[in-house]
Amino acid sequence: VVRPREKIVMSGDTARADSIFREVNRRLPLLDLPSTYLAEDDEYAYYRAEGLLANGRPRNALEEALKKLPYSKDKSTPLWSARRSLIAAKAAYRVREYDETLRRIADFDALAVGEESDLRTGLSERDALVGMVALTVA
C-alpha cells in the first residue's frame, strides 16, 4: 500500500506503475470519501505528475496534472492544486507549449495566494519558468 503523504518518484517499470495507478483511479470514484481523503487525492495526483515529468514523460505529466481542471473547491485544496499547476507549467514548457505554460502559471498564481509559506520553492520555480518562457518567445 502506498501512502499518499510519501513522496513517490517513479523510476524503472513505469508501464507497471501506470497499470497500478489506472486501477486505483478506476476504483476511487466508487468510494464515499471524506474531504480529508480528497486532499490526499490531490497530493497523489501531484506526485504522479511529478514522477511522470521526472521520467521524461512531460506530455503524460501535463495530462495527469490537468485531470482535475477546472478546480472544484469541494474536491480540491489550493495548496496541492497550486503545486499541480506548477508541474503542469513545467511539463507544458518541456513540450514547448508556451501559451499553456503561461496559463498554468496564472493558475498557480491564483491558487498560491495564502499558501506562500508552503510554496517557497514553487514561487522561485515559477519565476524561473516565466523567465525561460520570456527568453524562448522573445
mmCIF file of all heavy atoms in Angstrom, residues 70-122:
data_model
loop_
_atom_site.group_PDB
_atom_site.id
_atom_site.type_symbol
_atom_site.label_atom_id
_atom_site.label_comp_id
_atom_site.label_asym_id
_atom_site.label_seq_id
_atom_site.Cartn_x
_atom_site.Cartn_y
_atom_site.Cartn_z
ATOM 1 N N PRO A 70 -11.706 21.982 -14.372
ATOM 2 C CA PRO A 70 -11.474 23.160 -13.523
ATOM 3 C C PRO A 70 -11.488 22.772 -12.046
ATOM 4 O O PRO A 70 -12.085 21.783 -11.666
ATOM 5 C CB PRO A 70 -12.645 24.082 -13.865
ATOM 6 C CG PRO A 70 -13.728 23.172 -14.297
ATOM 7 C CD PRO A 70 -13.048 21.976 -14.933
ATOM 8 N N TYR A 71 -10.837 23.580 -11.260
ATOM 9 C CA TYR A 71 -10.719 23.286 -9.842
ATOM 10 C C TYR A 71 -12.064 23.406 -9.157
ATOM 11 O O TYR A 71 -12.789 24.353 -9.347
ATOM 12 C CB TYR A 71 -9.721 24.253 -9.182
ATOM 13 C CG TYR A 71 -8.374 24.165 -9.820
ATOM 14 C CD1 TYR A 71 -7.950 25.148 -10.701
ATOM 15 C CD2 TYR A 71 -7.552 23.081 -9.596
ATOM 16 C CE1 TYR A 71 -6.719 25.049 -11.322
ATOM 17 C CE2 TYR A 71 -6.322 22.985 -10.208
ATOM 18 C CZ TYR A 71 -5.908 23.970 -11.071
ATOM 19 O OH TYR A 71 -4.701 23.871 -11.674
ATOM 20 N N SER A 72 -12.364 22.434 -8.365
ATOM 21 C CA SER A 72 -13.601 22.431 -7.600
ATOM 22 C C SER A 72 -13.239 22.628 -6.140
ATOM 23 O O SER A 72 -12.441 21.877 -5.594
ATOM 24 C CB SER A 72 -14.314 21.094 -7.807
ATOM 25 O OG SER A 72 -15.382 20.985 -6.920
ATOM 26 N N LYS A 73 -13.821 23.621 -5.508
ATOM 27 C CA LYS A 73 -13.448 23.942 -4.136
ATOM 28 C C LYS A 73 -13.736 22.804 -3.168
ATOM 29 O O LYS A 73 -13.023 22.606 -2.214
ATOM 30 C CB LYS A 73 -14.160 25.214 -3.681
ATOM 31 C CG LYS A 73 -13.606 26.432 -4.362
ATOM 32 C CD LYS A 73 -14.233 27.677 -3.816
ATOM 33 C CE LYS A 73 -13.878 28.806 -4.720
ATOM 34 N NZ LYS A 73 -13.233 29.884 -4.265
ATOM 35 N N ASP A 74 -14.776 22.040 -3.426
ATOM 36 C CA ASP A 74 -15.081 20.945 -2.504
ATOM 37 C C ASP A 74 -14.313 19.672 -2.833
ATOM 38 O O ASP A 74 -14.328 18.723 -2.087
ATOM 39 C CB ASP A 74 -16.581 20.661 -2.475
ATOM 40 C CG ASP A 74 -17.129 20.222 -3.819
ATOM 41 O OD1 ASP A 74 -16.546 20.597 -4.849
ATOM 42 O OD2 ASP A 74 -18.135 19.496 -3.837
ATOM 43 N N LYS A 75 -13.625 19.635 -3.950
ATOM 44 C CA LYS A 75 -12.878 18.439 -4.337
ATOM 45 C C LYS A 75 -11.398 18.734 -4.536
ATOM 46 O O LYS A 75 -10.691 17.937 -5.132
ATOM 47 C CB LYS A 75 -13.459 17.868 -5.621
ATOM 48 C CG LYS A 75 -14.902 17.481 -5.468
ATOM 49 C CD LYS A 75 -15.216 16.296 -6.280
ATOM 50 C CE LYS A 75 -16.666 15.966 -6.087
ATOM 51 N NZ LYS A 75 -16.951 14.609 -5.978
ATOM 52 N N SER A 76 -10.928 19.854 -4.059
ATOM 53 C CA SER A 76 -9.542 20.223 -4.284
ATOM 54 C C SER A 76 -9.063 21.142 -3.167
ATOM 55 O O SER A 76 -9.854 21.810 -2.525
ATOM 56 C CB SER A 76 -9.422 20.939 -5.631
ATOM 57 O OG SER A 76 -8.089 21.153 -5.949
ATOM 58 N N THR A 77 -7.762 21.149 -2.953
ATOM 59 C CA THR A 77 -7.189 22.070 -1.984
ATOM 60 C C THR A 77 -6.274 23.043 -2.719
ATOM 61 O O THR A 77 -5.570 22.633 -3.645
ATOM 62 C CB THR A 77 -6.373 21.313 -0.913
ATOM 63 O OG1 THR A 77 -5.339 20.594 -1.555
ATOM 64 C CG2 THR A 77 -7.252 20.358 -0.127
ATOM 65 N N PRO A 78 -6.280 24.307 -2.360
ATOM 66 C CA PRO A 78 -5.461 25.290 -3.079
ATOM 67 C C PRO A 78 -3.979 24.940 -3.107
ATOM 68 O O PRO A 78 -3.322 25.099 -4.123
ATOM 69 C CB PRO A 78 -5.707 26.595 -2.321
ATOM 70 C CG PRO A 78 -7.002 26.408 -1.637
ATOM 71 C CD PRO A 78 -7.096 24.936 -1.325
ATOM 72 N N LEU A 79 -3.444 24.436 -1.996
ATOM 73 C CA LEU A 79 -2.016 24.136 -1.937
ATOM 74 C C LEU A 79 -1.631 23.087 -2.979
ATOM 75 O O LEU A 79 -0.727 23.301 -3.786
ATOM 76 C CB LEU A 79 -1.626 23.651 -0.544
ATOM 77 C CG LEU A 79 -0.169 23.191 -0.388
ATOM 78 C CD1 LEU A 79 0.791 24.345 -0.662
ATOM 79 C CD2 LEU A 79 0.050 22.606 0.998
ATOM 80 N N TRP A 80 -2.319 21.955 -2.988
ATOM 81 C CA TRP A 80 -1.967 20.886 -3.923
ATOM 82 C C TRP A 80 -2.368 21.231 -5.341
ATOM 83 O O TRP A 80 -1.683 20.848 -6.300
ATOM 84 C CB TRP A 80 -2.543 19.546 -3.470
ATOM 85 C CG TRP A 80 -1.811 19.090 -2.261
ATOM 86 C CD1 TRP A 80 -2.257 19.105 -0.970
ATOM 87 C CD2 TRP A 80 -0.459 18.638 -2.206
ATOM 88 N NE1 TRP A 80 -1.262 18.673 -0.121
ATOM 89 C CE2 TRP A 80 -0.151 18.374 -0.854
ATOM 90 C CE3 TRP A 80 0.527 18.416 -3.165
ATOM 91 C CZ2 TRP A 80 1.086 17.906 -0.434
ATOM 92 C CZ3 TRP A 80 1.769 17.944 -2.758
ATOM 93 C CH2 TRP A 80 2.040 17.699 -1.406
ATOM 94 N N SER A 81 -3.441 21.991 -5.513
ATOM 95 C CA SER A 81 -3.810 22.435 -6.860
ATOM 96 C C SER A 81 -2.759 23.393 -7.406
ATOM 97 O O SER A 81 -2.423 23.344 -8.584
ATOM 98 C CB SER A 81 -5.184 23.103 -6.841
ATOM 99 O OG SER A 81 -6.180 22.149 -6.530
ATOM 100 N N ALA A 82 -2.229 24.260 -6.534
ATOM 101 C CA ALA A 82 -1.151 25.172 -6.960
ATOM 102 C C ALA A 82 0.075 24.369 -7.369
ATOM 103 O O ALA A 82 0.674 24.629 -8.417
ATOM 104 C CB ALA A 82 -0.807 26.144 -5.834
ATOM 105 N N ARG A 83 0.425 23.389 -6.564
ATOM 106 C CA ARG A 83 1.585 22.566 -6.902
ATOM 107 C C ARG A 83 1.368 21.816 -8.211
ATOM 108 O O ARG A 83 2.275 21.698 -9.031
ATOM 109 C CB ARG A 83 1.874 21.595 -5.759
ATOM 110 C CG ARG A 83 2.458 22.297 -4.554
ATOM 111 C CD ARG A 83 2.698 21.362 -3.408
ATOM 112 N NE ARG A 83 3.442 22.055 -2.362
ATOM 113 C CZ ARG A 83 3.455 21.674 -1.105
ATOM 114 N NH1 ARG A 83 2.791 20.602 -0.724
ATOM 115 N NH2 ARG A 83 4.143 22.349 -0.216
ATOM 116 N N ARG A 84 0.144 21.300 -8.417
ATOM 117 C CA ARG A 84 -0.160 20.604 -9.666
ATOM 118 C C ARG A 84 -0.109 21.559 -10.846
ATOM 119 O O ARG A 84 0.350 21.203 -11.930
ATOM 120 C CB ARG A 84 -1.529 19.931 -9.567
ATOM 121 C CG ARG A 84 -1.449 18.455 -9.773
ATOM 122 C CD ARG A 84 -2.748 17.700 -9.794
ATOM 123 N NE ARG A 84 -3.947 18.456 -10.033
ATOM 124 C CZ ARG A 84 -4.779 18.862 -9.082
ATOM 125 N NH1 ARG A 84 -4.551 18.603 -7.826
ATOM 126 N NH2 ARG A 84 -5.864 19.523 -9.393
ATOM 127 N N SER A 85 -0.550 22.789 -10.650
ATOM 128 C CA SER A 85 -0.486 23.786 -11.722
ATOM 129 C C SER A 85 0.954 24.074 -12.114
ATOM 130 O O SER A 85 1.256 24.245 -13.299
ATOM 131 C CB SER A 85 -1.161 25.088 -11.291
ATOM 132 O OG SER A 85 -2.541 24.886 -11.132
ATOM 133 N N LEU A 86 1.843 24.123 -11.124
ATOM 134 C CA LEU A 86 3.245 24.372 -11.426
ATOM 135 C C LEU A 86 3.865 23.194 -12.179
ATOM 136 O O LEU A 86 4.618 23.394 -13.132
ATOM 137 C CB LEU A 86 4.029 24.671 -10.148
ATOM 138 C CG LEU A 86 5.464 25.153 -10.366
ATOM 139 C CD1 LEU A 86 5.510 26.428 -11.209
ATOM 140 C CD2 LEU A 86 6.142 25.382 -9.019
ATOM 141 N N ILE A 87 3.531 21.979 -11.783
ATOM 142 C CA ILE A 87 4.018 20.802 -12.525
ATOM 143 C C ILE A 87 3.488 20.855 -13.954
ATOM 144 O O ILE A 87 4.215 20.572 -14.911
ATOM 145 C CB ILE A 87 3.579 19.489 -11.828
ATOM 146 C CG1 ILE A 87 4.406 19.252 -10.578
ATOM 147 C CG2 ILE A 87 3.687 18.286 -12.760
ATOM 148 C CD1 ILE A 87 5.852 18.869 -10.819
ATOM 149 N N ALA A 88 2.218 21.229 -14.123
ATOM 150 C CA ALA A 88 1.642 21.345 -15.470
ATOM 151 C C ALA A 88 2.391 22.392 -16.281
ATOM 152 O O ALA A 88 2.664 22.196 -17.470
ATOM 153 C CB ALA A 88 0.155 21.696 -15.383
ATOM 154 N N ALA A 89 2.752 23.504 -15.642
ATOM 155 C CA ALA A 89 3.506 24.553 -16.341
ATOM 156 C C ALA A 89 4.869 24.039 -16.778
ATOM 157 O O ALA A 89 5.301 24.280 -17.911
ATOM 158 C CB ALA A 89 3.659 25.782 -15.433
ATOM 159 N N LYS A 90 5.553 23.307 -15.894
ATOM 160 C CA LYS A 90 6.865 22.756 -16.242
ATOM 161 C C LYS A 90 6.748 21.763 -17.400
ATOM 162 O O LYS A 90 7.567 21.762 -18.320
ATOM 163 C CB LYS A 90 7.481 22.043 -15.039
ATOM 164 C CG LYS A 90 7.924 22.948 -13.923
ATOM 165 C CD LYS A 90 8.489 22.058 -12.816
ATOM 166 C CE LYS A 90 8.665 22.762 -11.522
ATOM 167 N NZ LYS A 90 9.181 21.859 -10.478
ATOM 168 N N ALA A 91 5.719 20.919 -17.333
ATOM 169 C CA ALA A 91 5.519 19.923 -18.386
ATOM 170 C C ALA A 91 5.175 20.599 -19.709
ATOM 171 O O ALA A 91 5.704 20.227 -20.767
ATOM 172 C CB ALA A 91 4.419 18.945 -17.980
ATOM 173 N N ALA A 92 4.314 21.600 -19.665
ATOM 174 C CA ALA A 92 3.948 22.325 -20.893
ATOM 175 C C ALA A 92 5.177 23.001 -21.499
ATOM 176 O O ALA A 92 5.353 23.004 -22.718
ATOM 177 C CB ALA A 92 2.857 23.350 -20.586
ATOM 178 N N TYR A 93 6.029 23.536 -20.648
ATOM 179 C CA TYR A 93 7.259 24.148 -21.141
ATOM 180 C C TYR A 93 8.135 23.112 -21.850
ATOM 181 O O TYR A 93 8.667 23.368 -22.924
ATOM 182 C CB TYR A 93 8.037 24.808 -19.991
ATOM 183 C CG TYR A 93 9.320 25.447 -20.465
ATOM 184 C CD1 TYR A 93 9.308 26.698 -21.063
ATOM 185 C CD2 TYR A 93 10.530 24.781 -20.352
ATOM 186 C CE1 TYR A 93 10.481 27.278 -21.525
ATOM 187 C CE2 TYR A 93 11.709 25.346 -20.809
ATOM 188 C CZ TYR A 93 11.674 26.602 -21.399
ATOM 189 O OH TYR A 93 12.838 27.164 -21.866
ATOM 190 N N ARG A 94 8.241 21.942 -21.255
ATOM 191 C CA ARG A 94 9.076 20.884 -21.848
ATOM 192 C C ARG A 94 8.569 20.426 -23.212
ATOM 193 O O ARG A 94 9.358 19.995 -24.039
ATOM 194 C CB ARG A 94 9.143 19.677 -20.921
ATOM 195 C CG ARG A 94 9.975 19.906 -19.708
ATOM 196 C CD ARG A 94 11.148 18.908 -19.652
ATOM 197 N NE ARG A 94 11.722 18.886 -18.346
ATOM 198 C CZ ARG A 94 11.707 17.843 -17.533
ATOM 199 N NH1 ARG A 94 11.156 16.721 -17.902
ATOM 200 N NH2 ARG A 94 12.269 17.934 -16.356
ATOM 201 N N VAL A 95 7.250 20.503 -23.420
ATOM 202 C CA VAL A 95 6.714 20.099 -24.730
ATOM 203 C C VAL A 95 6.514 21.317 -25.634
ATOM 204 O O VAL A 95 5.848 21.243 -26.652
ATOM 205 C CB VAL A 95 5.421 19.252 -24.606
ATOM 206 C CG1 VAL A 95 5.701 17.926 -23.942
ATOM 207 C CG2 VAL A 95 4.306 20.009 -23.914
ATOM 208 N N ARG A 96 7.084 22.433 -25.218
ATOM 209 C CA ARG A 96 7.108 23.676 -25.991
ATOM 210 C C ARG A 96 5.722 24.270 -26.243
ATOM 211 O O ARG A 96 5.482 24.881 -27.270
ATOM 212 C CB ARG A 96 7.850 23.469 -27.309
ATOM 213 C CG ARG A 96 9.294 23.119 -27.098
ATOM 214 C CD ARG A 96 10.037 23.024 -28.394
ATOM 215 N NE ARG A 96 11.443 22.834 -28.108
ATOM 216 C CZ ARG A 96 12.160 21.850 -28.603
ATOM 217 N NH1 ARG A 96 11.634 20.992 -29.429
ATOM 218 N NH2 ARG A 96 13.430 21.733 -28.289
ATOM 219 N N GLU A 97 4.839 24.102 -25.288
ATOM 220 C CA GLU A 97 3.517 24.729 -25.347
ATOM 221 C C GLU A 97 3.554 25.942 -24.419
ATOM 222 O O GLU A 97 3.100 25.894 -23.283
ATOM 223 C CB GLU A 97 2.430 23.736 -24.940
ATOM 224 C CG GLU A 97 2.250 22.615 -25.929
ATOM 225 C CD GLU A 97 1.102 21.681 -25.578
ATOM 226 O OE1 GLU A 97 0.289 22.014 -24.680
ATOM 227 O OE2 GLU A 97 1.025 20.617 -26.203
ATOM 228 N N TYR A 98 4.092 27.033 -24.927
ATOM 229 C CA TYR A 98 4.372 28.194 -24.091
ATOM 230 C C TYR A 98 3.114 28.925 -23.637
ATOM 231 O O TYR A 98 3.074 29.424 -22.513
ATOM 232 C CB TYR A 98 5.355 29.126 -24.799
ATOM 233 C CG TYR A 98 6.622 28.390 -25.179
ATOM 234 C CD1 TYR A 98 7.026 28.286 -26.499
ATOM 235 C CD2 TYR A 98 7.396 27.755 -24.213
ATOM 236 C CE1 TYR A 98 8.174 27.590 -26.849
ATOM 237 C CE2 TYR A 98 8.541 27.051 -24.546
ATOM 238 C CZ TYR A 98 8.922 26.970 -25.867
ATOM 239 O OH TYR A 98 10.050 26.263 -26.201
ATOM 240 N N ASP A 99 2.082 28.980 -24.484
ATOM 241 C CA ASP A 99 0.825 29.594 -24.045
ATOM 242 C C ASP A 99 0.211 28.800 -22.896
ATOM 243 O O ASP A 99 -0.301 29.370 -21.929
ATOM 244 C CB ASP A 99 -0.173 29.695 -25.205
ATOM 245 C CG ASP A 99 0.230 30.750 -26.227
ATOM 246 O OD1 ASP A 99 1.017 31.656 -25.880
ATOM 247 O OD2 ASP A 99 -0.238 30.655 -27.384
ATOM 248 N N GLU A 100 0.258 27.470 -23.017
ATOM 249 C CA GLU A 100 -0.252 26.606 -21.935
ATOM 250 C C GLU A 100 0.592 26.782 -20.680
ATOM 251 O O GLU A 100 0.067 26.815 -19.571
ATOM 252 C CB GLU A 100 -0.245 25.141 -22.387
ATOM 253 C CG GLU A 100 -0.800 24.177 -21.369
ATOM 254 C CD GLU A 100 -2.298 24.303 -21.153
ATOM 255 O OE1 GLU A 100 -2.999 24.943 -21.971
ATOM 256 O OE2 GLU A 100 -2.776 23.773 -20.141
ATOM 257 N N THR A 101 1.892 26.940 -20.850
ATOM 258 C CA THR A 101 2.781 27.182 -19.708
ATOM 259 C C THR A 101 2.329 28.429 -18.952
ATOM 260 O O THR A 101 2.183 28.404 -17.726
ATOM 261 C CB THR A 101 4.243 27.363 -20.185
ATOM 262 O OG1 THR A 101 4.648 26.212 -20.909
ATOM 263 C CG2 THR A 101 5.179 27.593 -19.006
ATOM 264 N N LEU A 102 2.070 29.496 -19.688
ATOM 265 C CA LEU A 102 1.653 30.749 -19.043
ATOM 266 C C LEU A 102 0.266 30.640 -18.408
ATOM 267 O O LEU A 102 0.021 31.221 -17.349
ATOM 268 C CB LEU A 102 1.705 31.894 -20.053
ATOM 269 C CG LEU A 102 3.120 32.218 -20.576
ATOM 270 C CD1 LEU A 102 3.057 33.282 -21.656
ATOM 271 C CD2 LEU A 102 4.042 32.638 -19.434
ATOM 272 N N ARG A 103 -0.633 29.865 -19.018
ATOM 273 C CA ARG A 103 -1.967 29.652 -18.410
ATOM 274 C C ARG A 103 -1.826 28.922 -17.080
ATOM 275 O O ARG A 103 -2.484 29.256 -16.100
ATOM 276 C CB ARG A 103 -2.871 28.861 -19.349
ATOM 277 C CG ARG A 103 -3.538 29.708 -20.412
ATOM 278 C CD ARG A 103 -4.660 28.948 -21.124
ATOM 279 N NE ARG A 103 -4.163 27.867 -21.952
ATOM 280 C CZ ARG A 103 -3.704 28.006 -23.196
ATOM 281 N NH1 ARG A 103 -3.679 29.202 -23.757
ATOM 282 N NH2 ARG A 103 -3.282 26.961 -23.884
ATOM 283 N N ARG A 104 -0.984 27.924 -17.032
ATOM 284 C CA ARG A 104 -0.798 27.160 -15.792
ATOM 285 C C ARG A 104 -0.090 28.000 -14.738
ATOM 286 O O ARG A 104 -0.366 27.858 -13.546
ATOM 287 C CB ARG A 104 -0.026 25.865 -16.048
ATOM 288 C CG ARG A 104 -0.706 24.884 -16.959
ATOM 289 C CD ARG A 104 -2.148 24.605 -16.543
ATOM 290 N NE ARG A 104 -3.033 24.867 -17.670
ATOM 291 C CZ ARG A 104 -4.257 25.333 -17.579
ATOM 292 N NH1 ARG A 104 -4.797 25.616 -16.434
ATOM 293 N NH2 ARG A 104 -4.975 25.537 -18.658
ATOM 294 N N ILE A 105 0.809 28.885 -15.167
ATOM 295 C CA ILE A 105 1.447 29.801 -14.218
ATOM 296 C C ILE A 105 0.392 30.744 -13.642
ATOM 297 O O ILE A 105 0.406 31.033 -12.443
ATOM 298 C CB ILE A 105 2.611 30.560 -14.880
ATOM 299 C CG1 ILE A 105 3.787 29.602 -15.098
ATOM 300 C CG2 ILE A 105 3.044 31.752 -14.023
ATOM 301 C CD1 ILE A 105 4.915 30.172 -15.927
ATOM 302 N N ALA A 106 -0.532 31.201 -14.469
ATOM 303 C CA ALA A 106 -1.617 32.056 -13.978
ATOM 304 C C ALA A 106 -2.477 31.298 -12.961
ATOM 305 O O ALA A 106 -2.882 31.870 -11.936
ATOM 306 C CB ALA A 106 -2.475 32.553 -15.140
ATOM 307 N N ASP A 107 -2.747 30.017 -13.227
ATOM 308 C CA ASP A 107 -3.479 29.193 -12.250
ATOM 309 C C ASP A 107 -2.698 29.119 -10.938
ATOM 310 O O ASP A 107 -3.258 29.273 -9.862
ATOM 311 C CB ASP A 107 -3.666 27.758 -12.760
ATOM 312 C CG ASP A 107 -4.736 27.625 -13.814
ATOM 313 O OD1 ASP A 107 -5.527 28.568 -13.995
ATOM 314 O OD2 ASP A 107 -4.774 26.553 -14.458
ATOM 315 N N PHE A 108 -1.398 28.854 -11.068
ATOM 316 C CA PHE A 108 -0.540 28.767 -9.888
ATOM 317 C C PHE A 108 -0.623 30.060 -9.083
ATOM 318 O O PHE A 108 -0.804 30.032 -7.868
ATOM 319 C CB PHE A 108 0.909 28.491 -10.300
ATOM 320 C CG PHE A 108 1.877 28.540 -9.149
ATOM 321 C CD1 PHE A 108 2.035 27.437 -8.319
ATOM 322 C CD2 PHE A 108 2.620 29.680 -8.896
ATOM 323 C CE1 PHE A 108 2.927 27.479 -7.247
ATOM 324 C CE2 PHE A 108 3.507 29.733 -7.838
ATOM 325 C CZ PHE A 108 3.666 28.627 -6.999
ATOM 326 N N ASP A 109 -0.513 31.197 -9.772
ATOM 327 C CA ASP A 109 -0.556 32.493 -9.088
ATOM 328 C C ASP A 109 -1.870 32.676 -8.325
ATOM 329 O O ASP A 109 -1.869 33.129 -7.179
ATOM 330 C CB ASP A 109 -0.383 33.634 -10.089
ATOM 331 C CG ASP A 109 1.027 33.699 -10.671
ATOM 332 O OD1 ASP A 109 1.931 33.021 -10.151
ATOM 333 O OD2 ASP A 109 1.208 34.424 -11.665
ATOM 334 N N ALA A 110 -2.981 32.312 -8.947
ATOM 335 C CA ALA A 110 -4.294 32.473 -8.308
ATOM 336 C C ALA A 110 -4.439 31.552 -7.096
ATOM 337 O O ALA A 110 -4.982 31.950 -6.057
ATOM 338 C CB ALA A 110 -5.408 32.203 -9.317
ATOM 339 N N LEU A 111 -3.942 30.334 -7.222
ATOM 340 C CA LEU A 111 -4.089 29.351 -6.148
ATOM 341 C C LEU A 111 -3.075 29.537 -5.028
ATOM 342 O O LEU A 111 -3.312 29.104 -3.900
ATOM 343 C CB LEU A 111 -3.953 27.938 -6.733
ATOM 344 C CG LEU A 111 -5.097 27.519 -7.648
ATOM 345 C CD1 LEU A 111 -4.666 26.369 -8.544
ATOM 346 C CD2 LEU A 111 -6.319 27.151 -6.826
ATOM 347 N N ALA A 112 -1.954 30.173 -5.317
ATOM 348 C CA ALA A 112 -0.877 30.313 -4.332
ATOM 349 C C ALA A 112 -1.176 31.361 -3.266
ATOM 350 O O ALA A 112 -0.547 31.361 -2.210
ATOM 351 C CB ALA A 112 0.433 30.659 -5.041
ATOM 352 N N VAL A 113 -2.146 32.225 -3.515
ATOM 353 C CA VAL A 113 -2.477 33.281 -2.558
ATOM 354 C C VAL A 113 -2.897 32.642 -1.227
ATOM 355 O O VAL A 113 -3.789 31.804 -1.180
ATOM 356 C CB VAL A 113 -3.610 34.184 -3.097
ATOM 357 C CG1 VAL A 113 -4.044 35.192 -2.048
ATOM 358 C CG2 VAL A 113 -3.159 34.877 -4.368
ATOM 359 N N GLY A 114 -2.198 33.023 -0.179
ATOM 360 C CA GLY A 114 -2.473 32.468 1.138
ATOM 361 C C GLY A 114 -1.688 31.199 1.433
ATOM 362 O O GLY A 114 -1.705 30.705 2.553
ATOM 363 N N GLU A 115 -1.028 30.662 0.435
ATOM 364 C CA GLU A 115 -0.260 29.419 0.606
ATOM 365 C C GLU A 115 1.236 29.664 0.447
ATOM 366 O O GLU A 115 2.012 28.717 0.367
ATOM 367 C CB GLU A 115 -0.705 28.378 -0.437
ATOM 368 C CG GLU A 115 -2.179 28.076 -0.456
ATOM 369 C CD GLU A 115 -2.659 27.318 0.780
ATOM 370 O OE1 GLU A 115 -1.828 26.670 1.445
ATOM 371 O OE2 GLU A 115 -3.854 27.388 1.080
ATOM 372 N N GLU A 116 1.640 30.931 0.409
ATOM 373 C CA GLU A 116 3.021 31.278 0.081
ATOM 374 C C GLU A 116 4.050 30.600 0.977
ATOM 375 O O GLU A 116 5.114 30.185 0.497
ATOM 376 C CB GLU A 116 3.228 32.801 0.116
ATOM 377 C CG GLU A 116 2.490 33.564 -0.944
ATOM 378 C CD GLU A 116 1.067 33.968 -0.523
ATOM 379 O OE1 GLU A 116 0.611 33.559 0.568
ATOM 380 O OE2 GLU A 116 0.431 34.687 -1.289
ATOM 381 N N SER A 117 3.765 30.480 2.261
ATOM 382 C CA SER A 117 4.765 29.889 3.162
ATOM 383 C C SER A 117 5.028 28.423 2.821
ATOM 384 O O SER A 117 6.130 27.930 3.048
ATOM 385 C CB SER A 117 4.334 30.028 4.623
ATOM 386 O OG SER A 117 3.151 29.287 4.864
ATOM 387 N N ASP A 118 4.051 27.741 2.256
ATOM 388 C CA ASP A 118 4.227 26.340 1.860
ATOM 389 C C ASP A 118 4.741 26.190 0.435
ATOM 390 O O ASP A 118 5.026 25.082 -0.008
ATOM 391 C CB ASP A 118 2.901 25.571 1.982
ATOM 392 C CG ASP A 118 2.467 25.407 3.434
ATOM 393 O OD1 ASP A 118 3.339 25.104 4.272
ATOM 394 O OD2 ASP A 118 1.275 25.587 3.714
ATOM 395 N N LEU A 119 4.833 27.301 -0.289
ATOM 396 C CA LEU A 119 5.206 27.244 -1.698
ATOM 397 C C LEU A 119 6.476 28.030 -2.008
ATOM 398 O O LEU A 119 6.661 28.490 -3.128
ATOM 399 C CB LEU A 119 4.054 27.780 -2.566
ATOM 400 C CG LEU A 119 2.791 26.941 -2.584
ATOM 401 C CD1 LEU A 119 1.646 27.695 -3.251
ATOM 402 C CD2 LEU A 119 3.034 25.618 -3.289
ATOM 403 N N ARG A 120 7.353 28.171 -1.030
ATOM 404 C CA ARG A 120 8.563 28.976 -1.256
ATOM 405 C C ARG A 120 9.353 28.505 -2.461
ATOM 406 O O ARG A 120 9.727 29.294 -3.320
ATOM 407 C CB ARG A 120 9.441 28.957 -0.008
ATOM 408 C CG ARG A 120 8.902 29.818 1.094
ATOM 409 C CD ARG A 120 9.876 29.895 2.270
ATOM 410 N NE ARG A 120 9.083 30.142 3.455
ATOM 411 C CZ ARG A 120 8.984 29.322 4.482
ATOM 412 N NH1 ARG A 120 9.669 28.214 4.511
ATOM 413 N NH2 ARG A 120 8.225 29.629 5.500
ATOM 414 N N THR A 121 9.619 27.212 -2.549
ATOM 415 C CA THR A 121 10.372 26.679 -3.681
ATOM 416 C C THR A 121 9.585 26.861 -4.966
ATOM 417 O O THR A 121 10.132 27.250 -5.997
ATOM 418 C CB THR A 121 10.696 25.189 -3.461
ATOM 419 O OG1 THR A 121 11.446 25.068 -2.254
ATOM 420 C CG2 THR A 121 11.490 24.610 -4.615
ATOM 421 N N GLY A 122 8.285 26.580 -4.906
ATOM 422 C CA GLY A 122 7.430 26.728 -6.077
ATOM 423 C C GLY A 122 7.406 28.150 -6.606
ATOM 424 O O GLY A 122 7.402 28.369 -7.815
#
